[in-house]
Amino acid sequence: MNMTGKVMSLKPALMENHMQNRIDDLFREKDKNILSVYFTAGYPNLGDTATIIRLLEENGADLIEVGMPFSDPTADGPTIQASSDQALKNGMTLEILFEQLSDIRSHVKIPLVLMGYINPVLQYGVEKFCRQCSRTGIDGIILPDLPPDEFSLNYQEVFKANNLHNIYLITPQTPDSRILEIDRLSTGFIYMVSSSSTTGAGKKVSDFSREYFSRVKNLKLQHPQVIGFGISDRETFENACQYAHGAIIGSAFVKALQQPDPLEVIISRFVAGITGTEDREG
Amino acid sequence: MSINLYKMQYTVDERGYYGEFGGAWIPEMMYTNINELKHRYLEIMEEESFRKEFDELMKDYVGRPSPLYYARRLSEKYGSHIYLKREDLNHTGSHKLNNTIGQILLALKLGKTRIIAETGAGQHGLATATVCALKGLKCVVYMGALDVKRQDPNVRKMKMLGAEVIPVHSGNKTLKDATNEAMRDWISHPEDTHYIIGSVVGPHPYPDMVARFQSVISAEMKKQLAEKTGSELPKRVLACVGGGSNAAGAFYHYLDHPEVELIGVEAAGLGVDTKETAATLAVGSPGVLHAARTILMQNHDGQVTEPYSISAGLDYPGIGPLHAHLFKTGRARYLNATDEETLRAVLLLTQLEGIIPALESAHALAALEKISLQPNEISVICLSGRGDKDMQTYLDYFGY
Ligand SMILES: Cc1ncc(COP(=O)(O)O)c(C=O)c1O
């Protein structure tokens, strides 16, 4: 059911023009009910990052968003803020994250996306960051505070050279003309923010604006859409999947990681609770 | 003619940059509001009806022009001529009202019905709560939990004015954290809400918009100086810098006069060689904070570090992009003053001139000790606010 991962250890200079990217492969092979899970790297414990990724894949997640913790996560609600704070207290840095992931592609085949804020990436050096991502086998980046105009002006080339998809957000307020523009600039998929909120707001997807979802659907975008923010359980997941290719679960998973059980137990229980292993398609 | 739209060398470009600093590094959730503001702020500020009401309120409600006061005994002490631009005499006790009057009128033109703000010292929160009462709009003020404690009189005033004050418990529980929370609120209320940012920080067009509203300070200074001294131009202008709005206003009309020395004074806290400091330009480096590319205090991993200053209004790890640019280009010079130096300056002004200054403003006064003042020179200090809100701190420290 998941795509076969291509080994991505080539240096950018040696890359061909049309590199394969695991994200594209995933959406080619599976066009609905894609389950993407977000967690904050270095939480609950500094050393949990690679284990959580491995367990998520084993239990059937299709895509993973690894959160790079930041001191001032202005687009995040209380749950992810707290996990980010804890991860930083645990000592997480970008340097350590890349170390923890250096071997990840010998275990994990599903697409991996790094999500965070621009400032740590700027300090690390955007070019060095992209090269390091490519070497590690990262497929895409989500930086909500890197807007399209800054990206196209300064960073598009280096992302491309390293075969990294830059994933943009759209919201219920984004006008149609801008959604089309974002679709043109996008690579990979489009992250549809479900409602006007920070991450983790406890709305039900049934309460979300059908008008917005239908409007986006009618635009017939080139890139697949995945709905995120406020997806927390099987009901909201299934509901979101009616309108898009899949959905992203973040805060609800981060909250689940606070349970006292071993990670194996928490993660298998959590994913089964969303997808119900028995009726998974492959 | 309080809002100046005249072009100068140090205005923002099309993309909201002062040189390499500025821009709008916003998440998509803020795009529609920022974009509307960006396209409409200049046009609205030029409308006849806007200007008329703004000017009237500045005069009859804020009490402008604020006096330019020749501080005779302070001048004698330093052997040089010192004028104080008395923003402390404005209604609500600081320069902050200049900006909130402008932004509330703008918010009404944009059809907004709910106002949010962040505040450190509580002066901006108070100025926002005041204009919301004036116009009958709902007002929510985010304030770090530590600042709620140390600026208690302002918290009570805001509540009495009908504002909801929400203490913020993240981070150091100060201004940066309050700003984060206000941004989150705006993300969750994109339709009805306008965010009145209190300084020349945040995404474009805020730094430029707030600087224009505050530019009334130097517009008046020029006129008053000409009347009192025969020349519009002093030797130097000094102002304290948190985000940098009173300094931006005091520098604005002098930016194109290179012969006027511009000095910003940051809060050194316990000293710039300690970790307990808020002197961003002394210890910071370029990055993105609160949606602007600027200079900020951060560690090698790009995590914003927690600032410290006795003064809640200067206790911020960033600085407006205009100041980062003036610093980088050398057009302005930035000094800093420690808590202790500042408290000494508070007592000095109080006992020489009978004026109790705000802790923030006293940082600018403290810098007089750090520059060489010549007998025939004229220095103007922007006295950004009065000390009422800091009385508890003063009483505890001085033991009166
Ligand atoms: C009296 C006074 N001066 C100065 C400041 C600092 O703000 P800015 O640097 O934007 O002028 C504050 C902020 O609260 C203040 O209350």
Side-chain angles (χ1 to χ4, degrees):
Chain A
M1 59 178 199
N2 290 316
M3 41 67 60
T4 45
K6 288 273 178 322
V7 181
M8 301 291 302
S9 56
L10 298 177
K11 291 224 172 67
L14 301 174
M15 281 186 174
E16 286 162 28
N17 267 344
H18 295 286
M19 294 289 304
Q20 260 183 299
N21 181 299
R22 294 178 194 82
I23 294 172
D24 302 330
D25 295 342
L26 168 64
F27 285 99
R28 207 173 299 119
E29 286 168 25
K30 184 169 176 180
D31 65 357
K32 58 180 186 212
N33 299 329
I34 287 179
L35 171 62
S36 176
V37 180
Y38 168 96
F39 75 100
T40 305
Y43 177 86
N45 299 297
L46 182 63
D48 289 338
T49 315
T51 315
I52 292 174
I53 294 174
R54 206 168 33 73
L55 288 168
L56 279 170
E57 177 179 58
E58 270 175 36
N59 284 284
D62 297 304
L63 192 154
I64 298 173
E65 292 168 23
V66 182
M68 303 177 280
F70 181 50
S71 53
D72 295 85
T74 44
D76 285 300
T79 305
I80 293 179
Q81 283 175 49
S83 67
S84 195
D85 275 357
Q86 187 57 47
L88 292 174
K89 282 199 189 102
N90 291 345
M92 185 47 92
T93 63
L94 265 184
E95 205 93 42
I96 291 175
L97 177 60
F98 282 123
E99 252 166 57
Q100 292 180 342
L101 297 182
S102 62
D103 193 31
I104 199 76
R105 282 302 173 199
S106 48
H107 310 291
V108 172
K109 298 200 184 324
I110 61 174
L112 296 176
V113 169
L114 294 188
M115 179 166 187
Y117 292 81
I118 186 70
N119 196 53
V121 175
L122 289 175
Q123 297 321 304
Y124 192 84
V126 177
E127 201 166 340
K128 183 177 151 205
F129 173 82
C130 290
R131 256 186 285 122
Q132 201 55 262
C133 282
S134 157
R135 210 171 285 154
T136 308
I138 300 296
D139 307 287
I141 308 294
I142 307 175
L143 295 168
D145 60 347
L146 173 57
D149 63 324
E150 294 290 350
F151 177 75
S152 0
L153 209 60
N154 299 310
Y155 305 120
Q156 197 160 19
E157 290 310 310
V158 58
F159 271 57
K160 211 162 154 190
N162 287 284
N163 194 25
L164 284 175
H165 285 345
N166 183 41
I167 291 137
Y168 288 115
L169 275 52
I170 59 173
T171 80
Q173 270 72 42
T174 312
D176 286 0
S177 57
R178 183 167 167 87
I179 296 179
L180 292 168
E181 178 63 25
I182 286 175
D183 189 36
R184 254 192 304 280
L185 291 169
S186 283
T187 43
F189 62 93
I190 291 175
Y191 192 134
M192 263 177 85
V193 176
S194 59
S195 66
S196 310
S197 70
T198 50
T199 52
K203 293 183 193 167
K204 293 266 180 211
V205 170
S206 48
D207 304 338
F208 298 156
S209 161
R210 276 160 207 276
E211 184 274 326
Y212 161 56
F213 291 148
S214 321
R215 183 161 64 86
V216 174
K217 208 162 188 182
N218 289 337
L219 289 174
K220 308 225 179 313
L221 304 179
Q222 310 165 41
H223 293 90
Q225 303 103 54
V226 181
I227 296 178
F229 285 38
I231 314 298
S232 58
D233 53 17
R234 184 196 288 251
E235 189 195 342
T236 44
F237 177 73
E238 286 177 352
N239 219 326
C241 287
Q242 290 176 17
Y243 297 96
H245 299 76
I248 303 161
I249 301 187
S251 299
F253 180 65
V254 171
K255 236 180 241 162
L257 290 174
Q258 296 162 0
Q259 294 159 0
D261 305 313
L263 288 175
E264 285 79 0
V265 176
I266 294 173
I267 293 174
S268 87
R269 185 170 56 210
F270 187 84
V271 178
I274 301 298
T275 56
T277 348
E278 69 281 1
D279 57 23
R280 265 181 77 73
E281 334 164 344
Chain B
M1 93 119 253
S2 13
I3 312 155
N4 197 290
L5 301 177
Y6 124 102
K7 279 252 179 229
M8 59 177 178
Q9 202 182 329
Y10 299 96
T11 45
V12 285
D13 66 17
E14 280 288 290
R15 300 180 57 243
Y17 275 86
Y18 300 94
E20 65 181 274
F21 299 108
W25 298 70
I26 46 166
E28 187 62 26
M29 293 82 100
M30 284 168 70
Y31 173 81
T32 306
N33 273 319
I34 292 294
N35 195 47
E36 179 181 36
L37 210 52
K38 182 176 98 181
H39 283 105
R40 296 205 50 202
Y41 80 111
L42 290 179
E43 154 204 318
I44 290 175
M45 285 166 75
E46 276 170 296
E47 278 174 25
E48 184 55 36
S49 59
F50 180 95
R51 289 175 147 256
K52 186 165 172 290
E53 189 170 8
F54 183 83
D55 288 349
E56 272 174 22
L57 286 172
M58 281 295 181
K59 180 165 171 286
D60 298 333
Y61 190 75
V62 184
R64 302 204 72 93
S66 69
L68 184 73
Y69 167 69
Y70 181 67
R72 190 168 312 280
R73 294 187 68 208
L74 194 67
S75 297
E76 277 164 17
K77 152 128 176 82
Y78 285 108
S80 188
H81 300 296
I82 297 167
Y83 286 84
L84 303 178
K85 180 61 174 161
R86 299 292 306 275
E87 294 300 303
D88 61 317
L89 293 177
N90 293 342
H91 179 42
T92 74
S94 80
H95 68 292
K96 297 287 184 187
L97 198 58
N98 303 329
N99 170 43
T100 59
I101 293 274
Q103 284 203 50
I104 197 84
L105 297 181
L106 197 97
L108 287 168
K109 294 264 182 195
L110 295 173
K112 302 291 188 178
T113 55
R114 179 177 176 270
I115 298 295
I116 57 171
E118 85 294 337
T119 196
Q123 287 301 110
H124 174 59
L126 176 60
T128 304
T130 298
V131 295
C132 286
L134 178 70
K135 290 295 179 185
L137 297 193
K138 186 171 162 44
C139 180
V140 176
V141 178
Y142 290 93
M143 187 167 191
L146 173 67
D147 294 339
V148 168
K149 272 201 193 127
R150 60 179 165 171
Q151 306 281 207
D152 180 63
N154 276 344
V155 176
R156 288 164 193 259
K157 282 184 199 165
M158 286 186 264
K159 288 183 177 167
M160 185 169 166
L161 286 158
E164 183 185 357
V165 181
I166 302 184
V168 176
H169 291 275
S170 55
N172 253 20
K173 308 180 191 347
T174 58
L175 182 54
K176 179 196 75 159
D177 314 294
T179 308
N180 291 342
E181 214 45 46
M183 287 173 78
R184 291 184 187 115
D185 180 307
W186 209 18
I187 285 173
S188 306
H189 300 89
E191 310 260 355
D192 61 343
T193 298
H194 175 69
Y195 177 16
I196 301 190
I197 296 184
S199 191
V200 287
V201 302
H204 176 63
Y206 280 101
D208 183 49
M209 181 170 71
V210 177
R212 284 172 192 266
F213 287 137
Q214 292 293 0
S215 70
V216 62
I217 298 174
S218 50
E220 289 175 2
M221 253 155 65
K222 269 188 156 177
K223 214 166 143 220
Q224 292 165 322
L225 270 178
E227 280 164 14
K228 287 175 198 287
T229 72
S231 166
E232 293 186 327
L233 308 182
K235 170 73 183 170
R236 66 179 64 82
V237 179
L238 295 104
C240 69
V241 179
S245 67
N246 88 88
F251 293 175
Y252 200 89
H253 292 283
Y254 292 114
L255 287 166
D256 281 341
H257 295 282
E259 64 273 40
V260 178
E261 201 185 334
L262 305 175
I263 300 178
V265 186
E266 297 189 292
L270 301 187
V272 292
D273 48 357
T274 73
K275 287 197 163 161
E276 307 298 313
T277 185
T280 304
L281 293 176
V283 302
S285 56
V288 171
L289 176 64
H290 293 144
R293 189 168 193 285
T294 186
I295 293 176
L296 60 129
M297 292 167 53
Q298 56 187 325
N299 68 16
H300 68 280
D301 189 43
Q303 308 300 336
V304 184
T305 50
E306 299 294 354
Y308 164 78
S309 164
I310 191 174
S311 139
L314 307 184
D315 198 353
Y316 182 69
I319 190 166
L322 168 63
H323 292 289
H325 178 60
L326 297 178
F327 172 71
K328 183 86 191 268
T329 56
R331 175 62 191 95
R333 191 150 70 95
Y334 293 84
L335 307 174
N336 50 74
T338 63
D339 289 359
E340 230 181 280
E341 291 165 341
T342 299
L343 285 161
R344 253 186 304 205
V346 167
L347 204 56
L348 190 72
L349 190 74
T350 301
Q351 302 193 338
L352 283 183
E353 298 289 349
I355 299 171
I356 303 179
L359 269 169
E360 290 76 19
S361 323
H363 283 74
L365 295 165
L368 290 172
E369 300 281 342
K370 299 170 185 250
I371 54 181
S372 93
L373 297 165
Q374 301 305 314
N376 293 321
E377 290 171 359
I378 291 172
S379 302
V380 181
I381 296 174
C382 184
L383 197 69
S384 58
R386 65 176 91 126
D388 303 21
K389 68 185 178 61
D390 299 311
M391 283 316 295
Q392 199 54 51
T393 307
Y394 296 162
L395 298 181
D396 291 347
Y397 186 84
F398 300 120
Y400 289 106

